[in-house]
Structures are given as C-alpha cells and as structure tokens.
C-alpha cells in the first residue's frame, strides 16, 4: 500500500511544530515519538524498524579504508558503469533522501540546518509549477535549493557534488545513472534476494515495496514531477500560508504593489499569537521573499526598509530574521559579490548576531 506523501507531510509538520492535531494513520507508516521529542517514521507494526533505518545493515563497506577494494557493487549487473565508490555515494544519497521526513531535536546551529534542508525540499516541490519565473531562473533556483538540501544534511563533499539535473531528472553525474532508476533497482534487488539478506533486513517484501514507493515519491517531488506539497492552513495564518503555497501569487502581488506583501508581514507581526508553527510559516514567507525576489534583485531590499521605516522595531525583526534564520541570502550575496556595507540603511537594523555574522 502506498502512503500519500501530503498526508505524511501534514503529520510531519503536526509533530515537528507541536500543532496538537490528531495524526492521520497512513498505512503502512506511522510516526512514533522518542523520549527526547524527536520522532521517526516507523513501518506499522514494527517497534524498531523505520523508513530511514530499514536498510542500515546494507551499507557498503567504505572503499577508502583498508586494502584496495576487490568486490563489485551489488547492482553491478544492472549498472555496469558503477564502481564501489559510486555505490557508497548513492547509498548516502538514499539515506539523506529517506531522512527528509525524520524529526530531530536540535541546538541552534543544527536547527538552522534542519530548517534549510526542509525548506529547500518544499521549494523544490513548488518550482516546476511557477509561471512567474523564466525557465532559466527556475533552473538556477532548483540547483540552489538542491545544493542546500544536501549541504545542510550534512553530507560529504563528494556526495554533495555527485548529482546534477538533466532536464527534469536527477542523475549521478559521473555515471549518468538516473537516481530514480537506481533507487528502484536497489529496492527490487533486495525484494528478490530477501532470503539471502534475512539477517540484515527485518521487514517483509511488501514493506520494502512500500519503502520503495515512498523513496521514489520523495525523489519525484524533488525533481518536480509530483503534485506540489502545500502547508496546511491555521486560523490567523491564512494570508501567510496562502502566499507560501502559491509563490506566483506572492510575485504577482509584489509586482502590482509591493506594500501589499509587506502588509501581510505587518499583519502577522501585529497579531501577538505565537506558536512554533506560526513562527515557521513566517520564517518561510520571509525566506521566500529572499529566494524569489532578493535572489534576482538584491536592491529590492531597499523597498522593504523604506516601507517599514515608520515601524523600526518591526523592520528590525524582519531584517534580522531574513539574515539570521537561514544562510540563503549569504550564499547568493557571495555569488554576486554583494557587499552589505553598501546598504547602510539595512545594516542599521542589524542586531548583534547579524553584525557578528556579516560585518
């Protein structure tokens, strides 16, 4: 039975941001909490086996350690261009993909990484449906988000640069193998050879099949081949969530009258209700402003500062969240050799953390 990704994603957000909603049981998976408030996506009926760790005993030996490897990859007959070094990289990519729906506890540094990984995953699911951006702009952002999806996991440098997009397909660049084909063959191999690997695999053939379907749905979501994910609505968040779920609407609003977008931000700040999910949605909206507006024209930040000039406290909140909740803005400022000291009207609102990071 296939689990619907949107349903699992809703449960993921519900648990992660303590929304207090009753989880929707999505056979054959269910979330279970650990004592430290982290959570794993378990296979129903298994108290130990999760979507992430079912294949933990199948990790290839590291060919970089010990004597020169003499073995072949398990899927060498299917992909004859594959070597044992590639096999290890693809295993790590599979592990990274399958941890997308895991929920961890964090310190301040790892919390930023976690936000950026999952923000990037969500944005990759949106890009193909956008009509407001040119194809080249969408390709730029797709590469940008995929880089951060891996970078903030984190992965090794070799794994970070192992893949690229070819059209809509993610491929292992060195071998030209499509990730979707490799991950499909990986699961099919162990379904067929389950008797041989019985001591390492503690789930059934149909459960491996379910894991395969979910893994493939995750990769297709990243590739933009699946229906886009949406953030669920919550009372008082309607305007913010609507713009998160519809980037085209945000861009049309901004093009028509920039103040309309800034008013959505102001109205959020004027509403003193607080919750982890509300804060997450506001952070996501601000990073959308960074990713889809400032990324292509950093000078637009002057319009934000001018519009918030009469409410300097709110201006400071917005500016500092933009610059310190994630490092997306730092990455493309470096790419475009933008010096923040050329924008004293922005720097004057920096708090201590932003000053330490940027000045």
């Amino acid at each position: 039975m296939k689990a619907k990704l949107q349903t699992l994603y809703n449960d993921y957000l519900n648990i992660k941001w303590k929304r207090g909603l009753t989880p929707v049981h999505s056979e054959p998976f269910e979330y279970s909490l650990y004592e430290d408030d982290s959570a794993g996506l378990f296979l129903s009926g298994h108290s130990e086996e999760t979507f992430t760790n079912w294949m933990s005993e199948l990790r290839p030996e590291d060919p970089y350690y010990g004597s020169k490897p003499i073995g072949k990859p398990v899927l060498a007959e299917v992909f004859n261009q594959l070597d044992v070094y590639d096999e290890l990289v693809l295993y790590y990519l599979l592990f990274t993909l399958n941890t997308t729906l895991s929920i961890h506890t964090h310190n301040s540094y790892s919390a930023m990484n976690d936000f950026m990984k999952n923000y990037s995953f969500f944005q990759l699911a949106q890009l193909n449906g956008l009509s407001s951006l040119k194809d080249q702009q969408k390709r730029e952002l797709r590469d940008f988000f995929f880089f951060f999806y891996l970078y903030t996991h984190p992965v090794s440098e070799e794994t970070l640069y192992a893949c690229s997009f070819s059209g809509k397909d993610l491929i292992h660049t060195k071998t030209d193998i499509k990730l979707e084909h490799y991950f499909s063959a990986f699961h099919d191999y162990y379904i067929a050879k389950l008797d041989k690997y019985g001591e390492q695999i503690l789930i059934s053939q149909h459960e491996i099949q379910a894991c395969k379907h979910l893994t493939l749905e995750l990769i297709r979501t990243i590739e933009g081949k699946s229906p886009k994910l949406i953030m669920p609505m919550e009372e008082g968040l309607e305007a913010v969530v609507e713009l998160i779920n519809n980037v085209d609407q945000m861009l049309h609003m901004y093009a028509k009258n920039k103040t309309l977008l800034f008013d959505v931000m102001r109205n959020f700040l004027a509403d003193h209700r607080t919750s982890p999910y509300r804060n997450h949605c506001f952070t996501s909206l601000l990073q959308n402003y960074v990713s889809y507006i400032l990324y292509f024209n950093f000078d637009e930040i002057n319009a934000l500062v001018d519009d918030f000039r009469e409410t300097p406290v709110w201006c400071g909140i917005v500016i500092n969240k933009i610059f310190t909740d994630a490092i997306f803005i730092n990455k493309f400022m470096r790419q475009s050799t933008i010096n923040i000291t050329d924008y004293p009207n922005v720097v004057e609102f920096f708090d201590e953390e932003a000053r330490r990071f940027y000045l």
Side-chain angles (χ1 to χ4, degrees):
M1 181 184 295
K2 293 183 183 180
K4 291 184 178 179
L5 183 56
Q6 182 65 57
T7 302
L8 288 172
Y9 189 68
N10 288 348
D11 280 350
Y12 165 84
L13 294 173
N14 176 33
I15 295 168
K16 186 178 183 70
W17 303 114
K18 299 179 171 57
R19 300 185 70 213
L21 304 177
T22 303
V24 178
H25 188 62
S26 303
E27 285 285 353
F29 299 102
E30 58 186 342
Y31 275 102
S32 185
L33 289 170
Y34 298 112
E35 291 182 359
D36 63 356
D37 276 350
S38 60
L41 186 60
F42 285 77
L43 284 144
S44 303
H46 289 274
S47 59
E48 300 294 333
E49 293 302 298
T50 67
F51 174 56
T52 301
N53 74 10
W54 77 267
M55 47 146 197
S56 58
E57 295 297 318
L58 303 175
R59 186 178 73 175
E61 289 186 18
D62 193 331
Y64 292 100
Y65 290 93
S67 57
K68 188 175 181 180
I70 56 173
K72 290 184 177 181
V74 229
L75 297 181
E77 291 184 9
V78 184
F79 304 103
N80 56 23
Q81 68 270 55
L82 202 68
D83 64 29
V84 289
Y85 300 95
D86 304 323
E87 181 184 41
L88 186 62
V89 164
L90 287 164
Y91 176 88
Y92 287 144
L93 282 166
L94 176 58
F95 180 80
T96 300
L97 187 67
N98 286 0
T99 59
T100 302
L101 297 173
S102 298
I103 297 168
H104 306 284
T105 53
H106 299 284
N107 56 38
S108 57
Y109 171 76
S110 60
M112 180 193 285
N113 274 353
D114 183 71
F115 166 77
M116 291 195 295
K117 176 178 178 177
N118 288 284
Y119 173 86
S120 296
F121 173 74
F122 185 82
Q123 298 312 315
L124 286 163
Q126 315 301 309
L127 279 172
N128 271 350
L130 295 186
S131 61
S132 301
L133 298 179
K134 298 174 183 176
D135 287 344
Q136 177 58 31
Q137 290 176 313
K138 288 192 280 190
R139 285 193 292 269
E140 276 186 49
L141 284 176
R142 181 182 63 179
D143 292 342
F144 184 79
F145 290 135
F146 186 64
F147 171 86
F148 274 104
Y149 173 77
L150 295 178
Y151 175 79
T152 53
H153 176 69
V155 296
S156 68
E157 186 169 356
E158 184 181 15
T159 306
L160 179 61
Y161 295 105
C163 295
S164 56
F165 282 93
S166 175
K168 280 190 175 183
D169 299 319
L170 262 175
I171 62 166
H172 180 246
T173 311
K174 177 185 164 188
T175 59
D176 207 33
I177 295 170
K178 292 181 182 180
L179 294 195
E180 181 178 350
H181 291 173
Y182 182 84
F183 294 149
S184 181
F186 176 92
H187 289 80
D188 290 344
Y189 175 85
Y190 288 108
I191 288 170
K193 304 282 188 181
L194 187 58
D195 288 344
K196 178 180 176 182
Y197 292 92
E199 291 186 5
Q200 291 133 291
I201 302 175
L202 302 180
I203 61 176
S204 67
Q205 288 176 321
H206 79 270
E207 287 168 331
I208 300 174
Q209 188 75 18
C211 289
K212 169 186 169 180
H213 285 311
L214 184 51
T215 291
L216 295 183
E217 190 56 35
L218 288 169
I219 197 71
R220 288 168 185 154
T221 297
I222 288 172
E223 293 175 326
K225 297 175 182 175
S226 295
K228 70 177 187 178
L229 294 172
I230 62 168
M231 300 283 286
M233 285 291 180
E234 189 169 292
E235 184 181 352
L237 277 178
E238 293 85 358
V240 171
V241 172
E242 189 173 348
L243 295 184
I244 293 171
N245 288 338
N246 191 337
V247 175
D248 275 326
Q249 183 178 341
M250 182 190 80
L251 294 174
H252 290 151
M253 176 186 284
Y254 192 78
K256 179 181 178 182
N257 184 347
K258 297 173 184 180
T259 294
L260 295 174
L261 176 57
F262 300 142
D263 281 345
V264 172
M265 299 176 188
R266 260 189 289 269
N267 291 338
F268 176 90
L269 292 168
D271 184 341
H272 297 296
R273 284 177 287 184
T274 183
S275 74
Y277 185 63
R278 287 177 62 82
N279 294 339
H280 173 71
C281 288
F282 189 54
T283 295
S284 297
L285 178 64
L286 294 183
Q287 294 306 320
N288 278 8
Y289 171 73
V290 168
S291 301
Y292 295 100
I293 295 173
L294 298 186
Y295 182 91
F296 296 109
N297 185 358
F298 189 78
D299 283 348
E300 286 297 319
I301 200 165
N302 294 319
L304 182 146
V305 173
D306 290 344
D307 209 272
F308 274 86
R309 182 64 66 178
E310 293 182 7
T311 52
V313 172
W314 286 355
C315 189
I317 291 171
V318 170
I319 289 293
N320 287 296
K321 285 184 70 63
I322 282 173
F323 280 88
T324 63
D325 281 357
I327 61 169
F328 299 124
I329 199 167
N330 184 52
K331 172 73 171 177
F332 75 72
M333 284 172 64
R334 286 175 179 270
Q335 287 177 341
S336 305
T337 62
I338 294 168
N339 190 335
I340 194 59
T341 58
D342 293 337
Y343 297 83
N345 57 333
V346 175
V347 171
E348 71 174 277
F349 289 100
F350 275 8
D351 62 15
E352 184 178 338
E353 182 181 3
R355 287 179 176 276
R356 186 172 64 250
F357 197 71
Y358 290 92
L359 299 179

